[in-house]
C-alpha cells in the first residue's frame, strides 16, 4: 500500500512540475521575442528608452482556430492619445505597455516585470504615424506560424531561431 501511495505522489509531482514548466516556457517566449525585437531595433538605430515606449498586444489570428498573434512596436509617448493600458512594465531598460483593447493581451501580462505606473498618453490630439513593428502569429502549441512584415521575415526568423524560439512545421518562408 505504501508503494502505491508513493507512486501516486510521484505522478502528481511529475504532472504539476510539467504544468509549471510548460507555463514558464509559455511566459518566457514573449520575453525572448520582445528582447530580440529590442536588440534588432537598436542594431538599426539607437532607440532611446527615455523617449520611447514599447507597445505589445495580442489578438486572435484570422487564419487558424486556436492561433493568436502578437504585435510590438516602439512609439514616442508624445504621439500617444487615448491608448488603453492599466500598467507599465519594464524589459531591458524599456517601458512596456500592453494594449488592453486587443482581445488576447492578458496572456502577456505575467511575462514582464511591473514598474511604476505613468500616464504615457502625452499627445494632445490623435496623430497617425507609421512605425517599425513585428507581427508574430502562433499556433496552439506556441510555435510560430508566420511573421510580418514579410520583407523582413527571414531576418526575424533567423534572430528568433538563434534564441531557441520554436517554429511550426507549417511555417513557410
Amino acid at each position: 500500500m505504501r508503494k502505491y501511495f508513493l507512486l501516486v505522489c510521484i505522478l502528481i509531482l511529475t504532472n504539476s512540475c510539467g504544468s509549471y514548466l510548460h507555463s514558464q516556457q509559455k511566459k518566457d517566449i514573449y520575453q525572448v521575442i520582445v528582447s530580440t525585437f529590442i536588440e534588432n531595433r537598436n542594431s538599426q538605430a539607437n532607440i532611446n528608452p527615455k523617449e520611447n515606449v514599447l507597445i505589445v498586444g495580442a489578438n486572435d489570428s484570422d487564419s487558424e482556430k486556436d492561433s493568436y498573434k502578437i504585435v510590438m512596436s516602439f512609439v514616442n509617448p508624445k504621439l500617444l492619445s487615448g491608448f488603453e493600458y492599466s500598467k507599465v512594465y519594464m524589459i531591458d531598460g524599456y517601458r512596456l505597455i500592453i494594449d488592453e483593447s486587443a482581445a488576447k493581451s492578458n496572456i502577456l501580462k505575467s511575462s514582464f516585470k511591473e514598474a511604476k505606473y505613468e500616464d504615457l498618453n502625452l499627445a494632445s490630439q490623435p496623430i497617425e504615424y507609421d512605425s517599425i513593428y513585428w507581427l508574430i502569429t502562433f499556433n496552439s502549441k506556441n510555435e510560430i506560424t508566420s511573421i510580418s512584415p514579410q520583407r523582413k521575415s527571414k531576418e526575424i526568423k533567423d534572430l528568433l531561431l538563434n534564441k531557441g524560439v520554436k517554429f511550426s512545421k507549417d511555417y513557410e518562408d
Side-chain angles (χ1 to χ4, degrees), residues 3 16 20 23 38 48-49 64 74-75 78 86 91 93 101-102 105 107 109 114 116 118 127 141 151 156 161 166 168:
K3 287 182 183 180
S16 64
Y20 174 75
S23 70
I38 292 168
N48 186 334
E64 294 180 37
F74 279 109
V75 67
K78 293 176 184 173
S86 60
I91 183 165
S101 68
S105 287
I107 64 173
K109 290 184 177 184
E114 199 172 324
K116 182 181 175 190
E118 52 186 307
I127 299 172
K141 297 176 188 170
R151 70 186 185 296
I156 295 168
L161 281 172
K166 292 183 181 180
S168 169

Side-chain angles (χ1 to χ4, degrees), residues 59-69 104 135 137-138 145-146:
N59 232 330
D60 292 315
S61 175
D62 303 329
S63 59
E64 294 180 37
K65 183 182 179 193
D66 295 330
S67 65
Y68 62 99
K69 57 189 172 188
K104 290 193 75 99
L135 175 66
T137 305
F138 294 88
T145 59
S146 70

Side-chain angles (χ1 to χ4, degrees), residues 23-38 54-58 70-73 87-99 104-116 138:
S23 70
Q24 281 301 110
Q25 179 186 21
K26 209 171 186 180
K27 275 198 317 192
D28 294 342
I29 193 170
Y30 307 128
Q31 291 175 353
V32 169
I33 290 171
V34 171
S35 288
T36 304
F37 175 74
I38 292 168
L54 184 58
I55 297 176
V56 181
I70 64 169
V71 65
M72 62 208 84
S73 180
K87 295 181 180 180
V88 176
Y89 302 88
M90 292 296 291
I91 183 165
D92 300 342
Y94 288 88
R95 295 170 295 181
L96 178 143
I97 54 178
I98 295 174
D99 182 0
K104 290 193 75 99
S105 287
N106 61 333
I107 64 173
L108 302 168
K109 290 184 177 184
S110 62
S111 295
F112 305 103
K113 181 181 175 189
E114 199 172 324
K116 182 181 175 190
F138 294 88

